[in-house]
């Protein structure tokens, strides 16, 4: 069951390094999982994207229970 679940990788604290470094790390992580994104508490859009992902997972779980 766990192997069938969709995986997400988040590169956190992306505001602490250069955009070139973030891009380099994301490229490496995307080889592991296509659902990879950089996030930072200082980037409202990235937080909103994570929130959408988590809400989608929650909604799917709730739908599966019904």
């Amino acid at each position: 069951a766990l192997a069938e679940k969709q995986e997400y990788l988040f590169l956190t604290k992306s505001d602490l390094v250069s955009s070139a470094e973030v891009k380099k790390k994301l490229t490496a992580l995307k080889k592991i999982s296509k659902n990879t994104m950089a996030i930072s508490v200082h980037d409202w859009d990235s937080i909103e994207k994570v929130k959408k992902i988590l809400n989608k997972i929650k909604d799917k779980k709730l739908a599966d229970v019904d």
Side-chain angles (χ1 to χ4, degrees):
L2 185 58
E4 297 168 4
K5 293 191 179 200
Q6 195 166 15
E7 179 180 66
Y8 295 91
L9 290 175
F10 299 108
L11 179 62
T12 62
K13 299 185 180 184
S14 61
D15 57 296
L16 298 178
V17 295
S18 69
S19 58
E21 185 68 22
V22 170
K23 191 173 184 176
K24 180 179 165 186
K25 300 242 185 243
L26 282 176
T27 300
L29 289 172
K30 285 187 188 236
K31 292 177 183 174
I32 298 168
S33 173
K34 66 180 177 107
N35 296 319
T36 302
M37 65 182 286
I39 61 173
S40 168
V41 295
H42 301 290
D43 179 5
W44 183 254
D45 290 335
S46 70
I47 299 300
E48 286 297 309
K49 286 178 186 175
V50 172
K51 197 162 121 180
K52 282 182 184 178
I53 291 169
L54 293 175
N55 283 330
K56 187 171 104 178
I57 293 168
K58 179 189 76 169
D59 292 345
K60 185 172 176 3
K61 272 190 155 247
L62 292 174
D64 289 345
V65 171
D66 293 338

Short mmCIF file of all heavy atoms in Angstrom, two decimals:
data_model
loop_
_atom_site.label_atom_id
_atom_site.label_comp_id
_atom_site.label_asym_id
_atom_site.label_seq_id
_atom_site.Cartn_x
_atom_site.Cartn_y
_atom_site.Cartn_z
N ALA A 1 0.82 -1.19 0.00
CA ALA A 1 0.00 0.00 0.00
C ALA A 1 0.87 1.26 0.00
O ALA A 1 0.58 2.20 -0.72
CB ALA A 1 -0.92 0.00 1.20
N LEU A 2 1.91 1.28 0.79
CA LEU A 2 2.76 2.46 0.86
C LEU A 2 3.49 2.71 -0.45
O LEU A 2 3.62 3.85 -0.89
CB LEU A 2 3.77 2.33 2.01
CG LEU A 2 4.64 3.54 2.29
CD1 LEU A 2 3.80 4.77 2.62
CD2 LEU A 2 5.59 3.26 3.45
N ALA A 3 3.91 1.65 -1.10
CA ALA A 3 4.62 1.78 -2.37
C ALA A 3 3.73 2.34 -3.48
O ALA A 3 4.22 2.90 -4.44
CB ALA A 3 5.19 0.43 -2.78
N GLU A 4 2.42 2.21 -3.31
CA GLU A 4 1.48 2.69 -4.32
C GLU A 4 1.14 4.17 -4.14
O GLU A 4 0.57 4.79 -5.02
CB GLU A 4 0.19 1.88 -4.25
CG GLU A 4 0.41 0.41 -4.57
CD GLU A 4 -0.80 -0.44 -4.23
OE1 GLU A 4 -1.83 0.11 -3.80
OE2 GLU A 4 -0.69 -1.66 -4.38
N LYS A 5 1.50 4.75 -3.00
CA LYS A 5 1.16 6.14 -2.73
C LYS A 5 2.07 7.09 -3.49
O LYS A 5 3.24 6.81 -3.71
CB LYS A 5 1.24 6.42 -1.23
CG LYS A 5 0.19 5.67 -0.45
CD LYS A 5 0.11 6.13 0.95
CE LYS A 5 -0.98 5.34 1.65
NZ LYS A 5 -1.44 5.98 2.82
N GLN A 6 1.49 8.21 -3.86
CA GLN A 6 2.26 9.22 -4.57
C GLN A 6 3.25 9.88 -3.61
O GLN A 6 2.92 10.18 -2.46
CB GLN A 6 1.32 10.27 -5.15
CG GLN A 6 1.95 11.13 -6.17
CD GLN A 6 0.92 11.91 -6.97
OE1 GLN A 6 -0.23 12.02 -6.58
NE2 GLN A 6 1.34 12.47 -8.07
N GLU A 7 4.46 10.10 -4.10
CA GLU A 7 5.51 10.67 -3.27
C GLU A 7 5.77 12.12 -3.67
O GLU A 7 5.76 12.46 -4.85
CB GLU A 7 6.79 9.85 -3.46
CG GLU A 7 7.97 10.35 -2.67
CD GLU A 7 9.20 9.50 -2.89
OE1 GLU A 7 9.71 9.49 -4.02
OE2 GLU A 7 9.62 8.86 -1.93
N TYR A 8 6.02 12.95 -2.68
CA TYR A 8 6.38 14.35 -2.90
C TYR A 8 7.69 14.63 -2.19
O TYR A 8 7.88 14.20 -1.06
CB TYR A 8 5.30 15.29 -2.35
CG TYR A 8 3.98 15.17 -3.05
CD1 TYR A 8 3.00 14.28 -2.61
CD2 TYR A 8 3.72 15.94 -4.17
CE1 TYR A 8 1.80 14.17 -3.27
CE2 TYR A 8 2.51 15.83 -4.84
CZ TYR A 8 1.55 14.95 -4.38
OH TYR A 8 0.36 14.84 -5.04
N LEU A 9 8.57 15.34 -2.87
CA LEU A 9 9.84 15.75 -2.26
C LEU A 9 9.85 17.28 -2.20
O LEU A 9 9.61 17.94 -3.21
CB LEU A 9 11.04 15.27 -3.08
CG LEU A 9 11.30 13.78 -3.08
CD1 LEU A 9 12.45 13.46 -4.03
CD2 LEU A 9 11.65 13.30 -1.69
N PHE A 10 10.13 17.81 -1.01
CA PHE A 10 10.18 19.25 -0.83
C PHE A 10 11.59 19.66 -0.43
O PHE A 10 12.16 19.12 0.52
CB PHE A 10 9.20 19.71 0.25
CG PHE A 10 7.77 19.39 -0.08
CD1 PHE A 10 7.08 18.40 0.60
CD2 PHE A 10 7.11 20.08 -1.08
CE1 PHE A 10 5.76 18.11 0.29
CE2 PHE A 10 5.79 19.80 -1.39
CZ PHE A 10 5.12 18.81 -0.71
N LEU A 11 12.14 20.59 -1.17
CA LEU A 11 13.44 21.16 -0.85
C LEU A 11 13.14 22.42 -0.03
O LEU A 11 12.68 23.43 -0.56
CB LEU A 11 14.20 21.51 -2.13
CG LEU A 11 15.57 22.15 -1.96
CD1 LEU A 11 16.51 21.21 -1.22
CD2 LEU A 11 16.14 22.52 -3.31
N THR A 12 13.37 22.34 1.26
CA THR A 12 13.01 23.44 2.15
C THR A 12 14.15 24.44 2.30
O THR A 12 15.29 24.18 1.91
CB THR A 12 12.64 22.90 3.55
OG1 THR A 12 13.76 22.24 4.12
CG2 THR A 12 11.45 21.95 3.47
N LYS A 13 13.81 25.58 2.87
CA LYS A 13 14.76 26.66 3.12
C LYS A 13 15.46 27.12 1.85
O LYS A 13 16.62 27.48 1.85
CB LYS A 13 15.77 26.25 4.19
CG LYS A 13 15.12 25.93 5.52
CD LYS A 13 16.14 25.65 6.59
CE LYS A 13 15.43 25.35 7.90
NZ LYS A 13 16.36 25.16 8.98
N SER A 14 14.71 27.11 0.76
CA SER A 14 15.29 27.47 -0.52
C SER A 14 15.69 28.95 -0.59
O SER A 14 16.44 29.35 -1.47
CB SER A 14 14.32 27.14 -1.66
OG SER A 14 13.11 27.87 -1.51
N ASP A 15 15.23 29.73 0.37
CA ASP A 15 15.60 31.14 0.40
C ASP A 15 17.03 31.35 0.93
O ASP A 15 17.58 32.45 0.81
CB ASP A 15 14.62 31.92 1.29
CG ASP A 15 14.55 31.36 2.70
OD1 ASP A 15 14.10 30.21 2.86
OD2 ASP A 15 14.94 32.06 3.65
N LEU A 16 17.64 30.32 1.47
CA LEU A 16 18.97 30.45 2.07
C LEU A 16 20.12 30.22 1.08
O LEU A 16 21.28 30.43 1.43
CB LEU A 16 19.13 29.49 3.26
CG LEU A 16 18.16 29.74 4.42
CD1 LEU A 16 18.38 28.69 5.51
CD2 LEU A 16 18.31 31.15 4.97
N VAL A 17 19.78 29.79 -0.12
CA VAL A 17 20.82 29.53 -1.13
C VAL A 17 20.45 30.26 -2.43
O VAL A 17 19.32 30.71 -2.60
CB VAL A 17 21.01 28.02 -1.40
CG1 VAL A 17 21.53 27.31 -0.17
CG2 VAL A 17 19.73 27.38 -1.87
N SER A 18 21.39 30.33 -3.34
CA SER A 18 21.14 31.02 -4.61
C SER A 18 20.14 30.24 -5.46
O SER A 18 19.95 29.04 -5.29
CB SER A 18 22.45 31.17 -5.37
OG SER A 18 22.90 29.91 -5.83
N SER A 19 19.51 30.95 -6.37
CA SER A 19 18.54 30.30 -7.25
C SER A 19 19.22 29.25 -8.13
O SER A 19 18.63 28.22 -8.47
CB SER A 19 17.80 31.32 -8.11
OG SER A 19 18.70 32.07 -8.88
N ALA A 20 20.49 29.48 -8.47
CA ALA A 20 21.24 28.49 -9.25
C ALA A 20 21.42 27.20 -8.46
O ALA A 20 21.28 26.10 -9.01
CB ALA A 20 22.59 29.06 -9.66
N GLU A 21 21.70 27.33 -7.18
CA GLU A 21 21.88 26.15 -6.31
C GLU A 21 20.54 25.41 -6.16
O GLU A 21 20.51 24.18 -6.18
CB GLU A 21 22.43 26.57 -4.96
CG GLU A 21 22.76 25.44 -4.04
CD GLU A 21 23.95 24.59 -4.50
OE1 GLU A 21 24.78 25.09 -5.28
OE2 GLU A 21 24.04 23.43 -4.07
N VAL A 22 19.46 26.14 -6.00
CA VAL A 22 18.13 25.52 -5.88
C VAL A 22 17.82 24.75 -7.16
O VAL A 22 17.37 23.60 -7.11
CB VAL A 22 17.04 26.59 -5.61
CG1 VAL A 22 15.65 25.99 -5.75
CG2 VAL A 22 17.22 27.20 -4.24
N LYS A 23 18.07 25.36 -8.30
CA LYS A 23 17.80 24.71 -9.59
C LYS A 23 18.62 23.42 -9.73
O LYS A 23 18.12 22.40 -10.18
CB LYS A 23 18.13 25.68 -10.72
CG LYS A 23 17.66 25.23 -12.06
CD LYS A 23 17.86 26.32 -13.10
CE LYS A 23 17.28 25.88 -14.43
NZ LYS A 23 17.37 26.93 -15.44
N LYS A 24 19.88 23.48 -9.32
CA LYS A 24 20.77 22.31 -9.40
C LYS A 24 20.25 21.17 -8.52
O LYS A 24 20.18 20.02 -8.94
CB LYS A 24 22.17 22.74 -8.96
CG LYS A 24 23.21 21.66 -8.97
CD LYS A 24 24.55 22.24 -8.53
CE LYS A 24 25.53 21.16 -8.17
NZ LYS A 24 26.76 21.71 -7.62
N LYS A 25 19.84 21.52 -7.30
CA LYS A 25 19.34 20.50 -6.37
C LYS A 25 18.00 19.93 -6.86
O LYS A 25 17.76 18.73 -6.75
CB LYS A 25 19.19 21.09 -4.98
CG LYS A 25 20.47 21.61 -4.39
CD LYS A 25 20.84 20.88 -3.17
CE LYS A 25 22.08 21.51 -2.54
NZ LYS A 25 23.18 20.60 -2.51
N LEU A 26 17.13 20.80 -7.39
CA LEU A 26 15.85 20.32 -7.90
C LEU A 26 16.03 19.37 -9.07
O LEU A 26 15.32 18.36 -9.18
CB LEU A 26 14.96 21.49 -8.32
CG LEU A 26 14.27 22.25 -7.20
CD1 LEU A 26 13.51 23.45 -7.75
CD2 LEU A 26 13.34 21.35 -6.41
N THR A 27 16.99 19.66 -9.92
CA THR A 27 17.27 18.78 -11.06
C THR A 27 17.67 17.39 -10.56
O THR A 27 17.20 16.38 -11.08
CB THR A 27 18.39 19.38 -11.94
OG1 THR A 27 17.95 20.65 -12.41
CG2 THR A 27 18.71 18.48 -13.11
N ALA A 28 18.51 17.35 -9.54
CA ALA A 28 18.93 16.06 -8.97
C ALA A 28 17.76 15.34 -8.31
O ALA A 28 17.59 14.13 -8.48
CB ALA A 28 20.06 16.29 -7.96
N LEU A 29 16.93 16.08 -7.58
CA LEU A 29 15.80 15.46 -6.88
C LEU A 29 14.72 14.97 -7.85
O LEU A 29 14.06 13.98 -7.58
CB LEU A 29 15.20 16.44 -5.88
CG LEU A 29 16.05 16.73 -4.65
CD1 LEU A 29 15.44 17.85 -3.82
CD2 LEU A 29 16.21 15.48 -3.80
N LYS A 30 14.55 15.66 -8.98
CA LYS A 30 13.54 15.24 -9.95
C LYS A 30 13.88 13.90 -10.57
O LYS A 30 13.00 13.23 -11.12
CB LYS A 30 13.34 16.32 -11.01
CG LYS A 30 12.54 17.48 -10.46
CD LYS A 30 12.19 18.48 -11.52
CE LYS A 30 11.57 19.68 -10.85
NZ LYS A 30 10.29 20.03 -11.30
N LYS A 31 15.13 13.47 -10.47
CA LYS A 31 15.49 12.13 -10.94
C LYS A 31 14.92 11.08 -10.01
O LYS A 31 14.69 9.95 -10.41
CB LYS A 31 17.01 12.00 -11.02
CG LYS A 31 17.62 12.87 -12.11
CD LYS A 31 19.12 12.77 -12.12
CE LYS A 31 19.71 13.71 -13.17
NZ LYS A 31 21.16 13.76 -13.12
N ILE A 32 14.68 11.46 -8.77
CA ILE A 32 14.11 10.55 -7.76
C ILE A 32 12.58 10.57 -7.83
O ILE A 32 11.94 9.53 -7.79
CB ILE A 32 14.58 10.95 -6.35
CG1 ILE A 32 16.10 10.84 -6.25
CG2 ILE A 32 13.91 10.09 -5.28
CD1 ILE A 32 16.68 11.47 -5.00
N SER A 33 12.03 11.77 -7.92
CA SER A 33 10.57 11.92 -7.94
C SER A 33 10.19 13.12 -8.79
O SER A 33 10.77 14.20 -8.61
CB SER A 33 10.03 12.10 -6.52
OG SER A 33 8.65 12.40 -6.55
N LYS A 34 9.22 12.94 -9.67
CA LYS A 34 8.80 14.06 -10.51
C LYS A 34 8.04 15.11 -9.70
O LYS A 34 7.94 16.26 -10.11
CB LYS A 34 7.96 13.58 -11.68
CG LYS A 34 6.63 12.97 -11.28
CD LYS A 34 5.85 12.51 -12.50
CE LYS A 34 4.58 11.84 -12.05
NZ LYS A 34 3.40 12.63 -12.29
N ASN A 35 7.52 14.73 -8.56
CA ASN A 35 6.78 15.66 -7.69
C ASN A 35 7.73 16.31 -6.70
O ASN A 35 7.71 16.04 -5.50
CB ASN A 35 5.67 14.92 -6.94
CG ASN A 35 4.63 14.38 -7.87
OD1 ASN A 35 4.24 15.03 -8.82
ND2 ASN A 35 4.20 13.16 -7.62
N THR A 36 8.57 17.16 -7.21
CA THR A 36 9.59 17.82 -6.40
C THR A 36 9.43 19.33 -6.53
O THR A 36 9.21 19.83 -7.62
CB THR A 36 11.00 17.42 -6.89
OG1 THR A 36 11.12 16.01 -6.80
CG2 THR A 36 12.08 18.05 -6.05
N MET A 37 9.54 20.03 -5.40
CA MET A 37 9.48 21.48 -5.45
C MET A 37 10.24 22.11 -4.31
O MET A 37 10.42 21.50 -3.27
CB MET A 37 8.02 21.98 -5.45
CG MET A 37 7.25 21.69 -4.19
SD MET A 37 5.54 22.24 -4.25
CE MET A 37 5.73 23.98 -4.09
N ALA A 38 10.72 23.32 -4.56
CA ALA A 38 11.42 24.08 -3.54
C ALA A 38 10.39 24.92 -2.79
O ALA A 38 9.49 25.49 -3.40
CB ALA A 38 12.47 24.97 -4.18
N ILE A 39 10.55 24.98 -1.47
CA ILE A 39 9.63 25.80 -0.68
C ILE A 39 10.41 26.63 0.34
O ILE A 39 11.53 26.30 0.72
CB ILE A 39 8.57 24.94 0.04
CG1 ILE A 39 9.20 23.94 1.01
CG2 ILE A 39 7.69 24.23 -0.95
CD1 ILE A 39 8.19 23.19 1.86
N SER A 40 9.77 27.70 0.74
CA SER A 40 10.34 28.60 1.74
C SER A 40 9.20 29.28 2.47
O SER A 40 8.19 29.64 1.85
CB SER A 40 11.23 29.65 1.08
OG SER A 40 11.55 30.67 1.99
N VAL A 41 9.36 29.51 3.75
CA VAL A 41 8.34 30.23 4.50
C VAL A 41 8.25 31.69 4.04
O VAL A 41 7.27 32.37 4.29
CB VAL A 41 8.56 30.18 6.02
CG1 VAL A 41 8.43 28.76 6.54
CG2 VAL A 41 9.88 30.78 6.42
N HIS A 42 9.27 32.15 3.34
CA HIS A 42 9.29 33.51 2.83
C HIS A 42 8.69 33.63 1.44
O HIS A 42 8.64 34.73 0.87
CB HIS A 42 10.73 34.05 2.81
CG HIS A 42 11.36 34.05 4.16
ND1 HIS A 42 10.97 34.91 5.16
CD2 HIS A 42 12.32 33.27 4.70
CE1 HIS A 42 11.68 34.68 6.25
NE2 HIS A 42 12.51 33.68 5.99
N ASP A 43 8.23 32.51 0.88
CA ASP A 43 7.61 32.49 -0.44
C ASP A 43 6.18 31.98 -0.30
O ASP A 43 5.92 30.78 -0.22
CB ASP A 43 8.41 31.58 -1.38
CG ASP A 43 7.82 31.48 -2.77
OD1 ASP A 43 6.83 32.19 -3.07
OD2 ASP A 43 8.34 30.68 -3.57
N TRP A 44 5.24 32.93 -0.27
CA TRP A 44 3.83 32.59 -0.03
C TRP A 44 3.30 31.62 -1.07
O TRP A 44 2.53 30.71 -0.74
CB TRP A 44 3.00 33.87 -0.01
CG TRP A 44 1.57 33.62 0.31
CD1 TRP A 44 0.53 33.66 -0.56
CD2 TRP A 44 1.03 33.25 1.58
NE1 TRP A 44 -0.65 33.34 0.09
CE2 TRP A 44 -0.37 33.08 1.41
CE3 TRP A 44 1.56 33.04 2.84
CZ2 TRP A 44 -1.21 32.73 2.44
CZ3 TRP A 44 0.71 32.68 3.87
CH2 TRP A 44 -0.64 32.53 3.66
N ASP A 45 3.69 31.78 -2.32
CA ASP A 45 3.19 30.89 -3.38
C ASP A 45 3.59 29.44 -3.15
O ASP A 45 2.81 28.53 -3.38
CB ASP A 45 3.69 31.36 -4.75
CG ASP A 45 3.05 32.67 -5.19
OD1 ASP A 45 1.93 32.97 -4.73
OD2 ASP A 45 3.67 33.38 -5.99
N SER A 46 4.81 29.23 -2.69
CA SER A 46 5.25 27.85 -2.43
C SER A 46 4.46 27.23 -1.27
O SER A 46 4.12 26.05 -1.32
CB SER A 46 6.76 27.78 -2.18
OG SER A 46 7.12 28.36 -0.95
N ILE A 47 4.17 28.03 -0.26
CA ILE A 47 3.38 27.53 0.87
C ILE A 47 1.97 27.19 0.40
O ILE A 47 1.40 26.16 0.80
CB ILE A 47 3.34 28.58 2.01
CG1 ILE A 47 4.76 28.86 2.54
CG2 ILE A 47 2.41 28.14 3.14
CD1 ILE A 47 5.48 27.66 3.09
N GLU A 48 1.40 28.01 -0.46
CA GLU A 48 0.06 27.74 -0.99
C GLU A 48 0.04 26.45 -1.82
O GLU A 48 -0.92 25.69 -1.75
CB GLU A 48 -0.44 28.92 -1.82
CG GLU A 48 -0.86 30.11 -0.98
CD GLU A 48 -2.02 29.81 -0.05
OE1 GLU A 48 -3.05 29.28 -0.52
OE2 GLU A 48 -1.89 30.09 1.16
N LYS A 49 1.09 26.20 -2.58
CA LYS A 49 1.17 24.96 -3.37
C LYS A 49 1.20 23.74 -2.46
O LYS A 49 0.53 22.74 -2.72
CB LYS A 49 2.40 24.99 -4.27
CG LYS A 49 2.26 25.91 -5.45
CD LYS A 49 3.52 25.92 -6.29
CE LYS A 49 3.45 26.95 -7.39
NZ LYS A 49 4.71 27.05 -8.14
N VAL A 50 1.97 23.82 -1.39
CA VAL A 50 2.03 22.70 -0.43
C VAL A 50 0.67 22.52 0.22
O VAL A 50 0.20 21.38 0.40
CB VAL A 50 3.13 22.94 0.63
CG1 VAL A 50 3.06 21.89 1.72
CG2 VAL A 50 4.50 22.95 -0.01
N LYS A 51 0.04 23.60 0.56
CA LYS A 51 -1.29 23.54 1.18
C LYS A 51 -2.28 22.84 0.25
O LYS A 51 -3.06 21.99 0.70
CB LYS A 51 -1.75 24.96 1.48
CG LYS A 51 -2.88 25.07 2.45
CD LYS A 51 -2.94 26.48 2.99
CE LYS A 51 -4.24 27.12 2.70
NZ LYS A 51 -4.32 28.50 3.20
N LYS A 52 -2.23 23.15 -1.05
CA LYS A 52 -3.12 22.50 -2.02
C LYS A 52 -2.85 21.00 -2.09
O LYS A 52 -3.78 20.19 -2.15
CB LYS A 52 -2.95 23.13 -3.40
CG LYS A 52 -3.65 24.44 -3.56
CD LYS A 52 -3.48 24.95 -4.98
CE LYS A 52 -4.10 26.33 -5.13
NZ LYS A 52 -3.92 26.88 -6.47
N ILE A 53 -1.58 20.63 -2.09
CA ILE A 53 -1.21 19.21 -2.15
C ILE A 53 -1.74 18.49 -0.91
O ILE A 53 -2.36 17.42 -1.02
CB ILE A 53 0.32 19.05 -2.25
CG1 ILE A 53 0.81 19.52 -3.62
CG2 ILE A 53 0.74 17.59 -1.99
CD1 ILE A 53 2.32 19.66 -3.73
N LEU A 54 -1.54 19.08 0.25
CA LEU A 54 -1.99 18.45 1.49
C LEU A 54 -3.52 18.36 1.55
O LEU A 54 -4.06 17.34 1.99
CB LEU A 54 -1.45 19.21 2.70
CG LEU A 54 0.07 19.14 2.89
CD1 LEU A 54 0.50 20.03 4.04
CD2 LEU A 54 0.53 17.72 3.09
N ASN A 55 -4.20 19.39 1.09
CA ASN A 55 -5.66 19.35 1.06
C ASN A 55 -6.18 18.29 0.10
O ASN A 55 -7.17 17.62 0.38
CB ASN A 55 -6.25 20.72 0.72
CG ASN A 55 -6.21 21.67 1.89
OD1 ASN A 55 -6.29 21.26 3.04
ND2 ASN A 55 -6.06 22.95 1.60
N LYS A 56 -5.50 18.13 -1.02
CA LYS A 56 -5.88 17.09 -1.99
C LYS A 56 -5.73 15.70 -1.37
O LYS A 56 -6.61 14.85 -1.52
CB LYS A 56 -5.01 17.22 -3.24
CG LYS A 56 -5.41 16.33 -4.38
CD LYS A 56 -4.64 16.70 -5.63
CE LYS A 56 -3.56 15.68 -5.85
NZ LYS A 56 -2.78 15.88 -7.07
N ILE A 57 -4.63 15.49 -0.66
CA ILE A 57 -4.41 14.20 0.02
C ILE A 57 -5.48 13.97 1.07
O ILE A 57 -6.05 12.88 1.18
CB ILE A 57 -3.00 14.15 0.63
CG1 ILE A 57 -1.94 14.15 -0.47
CG2 ILE A 57 -2.84 12.94 1.55
CD1 ILE A 57 -0.52 14.38 0.01
N LYS A 58 -5.78 15.01 1.86
CA LYS A 58 -6.79 14.90 2.91
C LYS A 58 -8.15 14.58 2.30
O LYS A 58 -8.86 13.68 2.78
CB LYS A 58 -6.87 16.21 3.70
CG LYS A 58 -7.92 16.20 4.80
CD LYS A 58 -8.12 17.56 5.40
CE LYS A 58 -8.93 18.35 4.42
NZ LYS A 58 -9.45 19.61 4.87
N ASP A 59 -8.52 15.29 1.22
CA ASP A 59 -9.81 15.05 0.58
C ASP A 59 -9.91 13.64 0.03
O ASP A 59 -10.97 13.00 0.13
CB ASP A 59 -10.05 16.07 -0.53
CG ASP A 59 -10.25 17.49 0.01
OD1 ASP A 59 -10.48 17.64 1.22
OD2 ASP A 59 -10.12 18.44 -0.79
N LYS A 60 -8.83 13.14 -0.53
CA LYS A 60 -8.83 11.78 -1.06
C LYS A 60 -9.00 10.76 0.07
O LYS A 60 -9.76 9.81 -0.05
CB LYS A 60 -7.53 11.50 -1.81
CG LYS A 60 -7.50 10.14 -2.50
CD LYS A 60 -6.28 10.02 -3.38
CE LYS A 60 -6.09 8.70 -4.04
NZ LYS A 60 -7.01 7.65 -3.92
N LYS A 61 -8.33 11.00 1.18
CA LYS A 61 -8.47 10.09 2.35
C LYS A 61 -9.90 10.10 2.85
O LYS A 61 -10.45 9.05 3.17
CB LYS A 61 -7.53 10.52 3.48
CG LYS A 61 -6.17 9.92 3.39
CD LYS A 61 -5.46 10.23 4.69
CE LYS A 61 -4.46 9.27 4.95
NZ LYS A 61 -4.21 8.35 5.78
N LEU A 62 -10.49 11.27 2.95
CA LEU A 62 -11.86 11.37 3.43
C LEU A 62 -12.84 10.70 2.47
O LEU A 62 -13.80 10.07 2.89
CB LEU A 62 -12.25 12.83 3.66
CG LEU A 62 -11.53 13.53 4.82
CD1 LEU A 62 -11.90 15.01 4.85
CD2 LEU A 62 -11.85 12.87 6.13
N ALA A 63 -12.58 10.82 1.18
CA ALA A 63 -13.44 10.19 0.18
C ALA A 63 -13.33 8.67 0.26
O ALA A 63 -14.32 7.95 0.05
CB ALA A 63 -13.09 10.68 -1.20
N ASP A 64 -12.13 8.17 0.55
CA ASP A 64 -11.92 6.73 0.65
C ASP A 64 -12.61 6.14 1.87
O ASP A 64 -12.99 4.97 1.88
CB ASP A 64 -10.42 6.41 0.70
CG ASP A 64 -9.72 6.64 -0.62
OD1 ASP A 64 -10.42 6.78 -1.66
OD2 ASP A 64 -8.47 6.72 -0.63
N VAL A 65 -12.78 6.94 2.92
CA VAL A 65 -13.43 6.48 4.14
C VAL A 65 -14.93 6.33 3.92
O VAL A 65 -15.55 5.41 4.43
CB VAL A 65 -13.15 7.47 5.31
CG1 VAL A 65 -14.00 7.13 6.52
CG2 VAL A 65 -11.68 7.47 5.66
N ASP A 66 -15.50 7.24 3.13
CA ASP A 66 -16.96 7.20 2.88
C ASP A 66 -17.35 6.06 2.04
O ASP A 66 -17.12 5.20 1.57
CB ASP A 66 -17.41 8.50 2.20
CG ASP A 66 -17.28 9.69 3.13
OD1 ASP A 66 -17.25 9.47 4.35
OD2 ASP A 66 -17.20 10.82 2.62
#
